[in-house]
Amino acid sequence: MLLRLGLRGTWHKQIRDSTLQLGQTTNRTLLHHVGLNSTNTQTSLSHRLVLRSIRSSARSKNSSRPALQPFEPPSGSVPSGNVFKALVFTGAFSLGSFLGATVLEYENTRNMMLEKARQAKLGWLRKKSNHEDSWENIKRDIRRLWDQLAPGEKVFVPICAFNVLVFGLWRIPSLRGTMMKYFCSNPAARTVCWPMFLSTFSHYSAFHLFANMYVLHSFSNAAILSLGKEQFLAVYLSAGVIASLSSVLYKALTLQAGLSLGASGAIMAVLAYVCAQYPDTQLSILFLPMVTFSAGSAIKVIMGIDLAGCIMGWKFFDHAAHLGGAIFGLFWAFYGMDLWQKRVPFLTMYHDWRKTK
């Protein structure tokens, strides 16, 4: 519309100028007693030439200006191809997480046995040596501090450190585009798979980071004592991706594509697992220690709120991701031990392969 109006204004201006010019030419012709037929012929010819030049000018301007494209507001639909990618990635990543945890468990056990054998063999040399390197003393002190940590804290510290690192990267303006692309899960984006995993370590606000790490620290030790650190890592990482998949499926069904980030989905799996394993444990709310309730009641209320959020379409939290993580945690609490035992054939195969190296 703006392009046509611009051309229309130019058209009227040129016609008005040409009309004035033609009127002046006619007056001069009459004053000089030029014949009427000749004057009319010149006037008609000049008029046609002016109109032809105006039309050619309008065509050239119209062709030189790019056509205005109509604005199409972005829709909330999620491409079906992205949903398929999310499903395949979740299955492959979860399987890889548990296979990797099996290998990690084997290597940790092997290294522990080798270390004990080495200490028993070379311990008498250390007692005879009076001179110790300062770097060795530092490493021994660090190892002593690390050994004093609880099993849950040994897993929590690296996870928390990585979350804090990602939080710091959000503060760098030049990395904002990269963080939005890879550390936010968006089912409508071109990059779908890896953000489903990386977004579980991503927090933009300090309060969000503190709240999630506080809950993880509160429940990780109980979960690790029950699962072991290798199985816990597999459950935690898989739960994060499964929670992202739940969010993708919910957004695809409701046509509400948007960004999601945070470790809440994975932490909900840990919370649900602990509450299912120890339902009679008394819990309390931060800053309200006088209010106590059982773990079994807590997980029911939390999942009920998330279910209501999905039904009502609340958007302040990613309730679908929370609910997906909690369901996976409950599933692993009831069926995880049987599934974990099925790793034995793979463990045997890896052991046979390891002996050849």
Side-chain angles (χ1 to χ4, degrees):
M1 182 63 72
L2 291 176
L3 181 60
R4 288 198 297 270
L5 287 175
L7 289 176
R8 187 176 299 173
T10 304
W11 181 281
H12 283 302
K13 183 177 183 297
Q14 293 185 8
I15 289 179
R16 184 174 62 253
D17 295 340
S18 63
T19 303
L20 293 175
Q21 183 178 1
L22 288 174
Q24 294 173 358
T25 304
T26 304
N27 291 335
R28 286 196 301 269
T29 304
L30 291 175
L31 289 174
H32 287 83
H33 306 285
V34 179
L36 183 60
N37 292 335
S38 175
T39 303
N40 289 339
T41 303
Q42 292 178 1
T43 302
S44 178
L45 179 60
S46 300
H47 195 187
R48 287 197 301 269
L49 291 175
V50 170
L51 291 177
R52 186 177 300 173
S53 65
I54 292 173
R55 293 191 186 100
S56 62
S57 175
R59 292 193 194 98
S60 63
K61 290 182 179 180
N62 192 19
S63 60
S64 62
R65 297 187 183 184
L68 296 178
Q69 299 295 332
F71 174 74
E72 297 180 1
S75 62
S77 61
V78 178
S80 58
N82 287 3
V83 176
F84 178 75
K85 291 178 183 178
L87 288 169
V88 174
F89 178 77
T90 301
F93 184 88
S94 300
L95 178 61
S97 296
F98 283 97
L99 293 180
T102 302
V103 173
L104 181 62
E105 180 187 32
Y106 177 89
E107 293 295 335
N108 287 339
T109 304
R110 181 175 180 272
N111 292 335
M112 182 180 62
M113 296 177 64
L114 292 176
E115 179 65 20
K116 289 183 177 181
R118 188 176 66 87
Q119 290 179 357
K121 184 177 181 180
L122 301 177
W124 63 276
L125 291 176
R126 294 180 180 177
K127 294 179 180 179
K128 292 178 61 176
S129 177
N130 295 325
H131 175 72
E132 292 185 354
D133 184 63
S134 59
W135 177 243
E136 291 294 331
N137 292 333
I138 295 175
K139 290 195 298 183
R140 188 174 63 252
D141 293 339
I142 295 175
R143 188 179 297 110
R144 184 183 300 112
L145 292 175
W146 179 257
D147 293 338
Q148 292 176 356
L149 296 177
E153 293 175 339
K154 292 181 180 179
V155 178
F156 168 77
V157 169
I159 294 177
C160 182
F162 188 61
N163 279 270
V164 172
L165 174 62
V166 175
F167 174 76
L169 294 178
W170 275 107
R171 315 268 78 80
I172 303 176
S174 60
L175 297 179
R176 193 63 55 82
T178 302
M179 302 302 293
M180 291 286 292
K181 181 177 181 180
Y182 292 104
F183 287 85
C184 287
S185 179
N186 182 9
R190 298 181 62 181
T191 306
V192 178
C193 296
W194 282 111
M196 295 174 61
F197 165 65
L198 295 176
S199 63
T200 61
F201 297 92
S202 181
H203 300 82
Y204 188 76
S205 68
F207 178 78
H208 190 198
L209 174 64
F210 169 77
N212 279 345
M213 293 301 101
Y214 176 82
V215 176
L216 179 61
H217 180 267
S218 301
F219 291 91
S220 59
N221 192 54
I224 290 173
L225 289 176
S226 176
L227 296 171
K229 60 182 180 180
E230 295 86 5
Q231 186 182 176
F232 173 84
L233 279 176
V235 171
Y236 182 83
L237 297 179
S238 300
V241 176
I242 291 173
S244 297
L245 175 65
S246 302
S247 177
V248 169
L249 295 177
Y250 176 78
K251 292 174 182 177
L253 291 175
T254 58
L255 303 180
Q256 296 178 359
L259 301 177
S260 297
L261 73 166
S264 304
I267 295 173
M268 279 295 297
V270 177
L271 175 63
Y273 176 86
V274 173
C275 291
Q277 289 290 317
Y278 312 101
D280 297 328
T281 301
Q282 294 297 306
L283 305 178
S284 61
I285 302 176
L286 182 64
F287 305 125
L288 295 174
M290 70 291 299
V291 180
T292 60
F293 42 85
S294 65
S297 300
I299 191 60
K300 293 176 183 177
V301 172
I302 294 174
M303 293 183 67
I305 294 175
D306 286 324
L307 180 60
C310 292
I311 296 175
M312 302 297 293
W314 299 340
K315 298 180 180 180
F316 188 75
F317 297 109
D318 194 341
H319 296 282
H322 292 180
L323 195 60
I327 291 174
F328 178 73
L330 293 178
F331 169 81
W332 200 258
F334 293 106
Y335 305 103
M337 189 56 63
D338 295 334
L339 293 175
W340 183 245
Q341 295 300 326
K342 296 183 182 300
R343 79 193 189 284
V344 174
F346 174 77
L347 187 62
T348 303
M349 181 179 64
Y350 180 80
H351 173 70
D352 296 337
W353 175 83
R354 193 70 170 79
K355 289 192 301 184
T356 62
K357 298 298 181 180

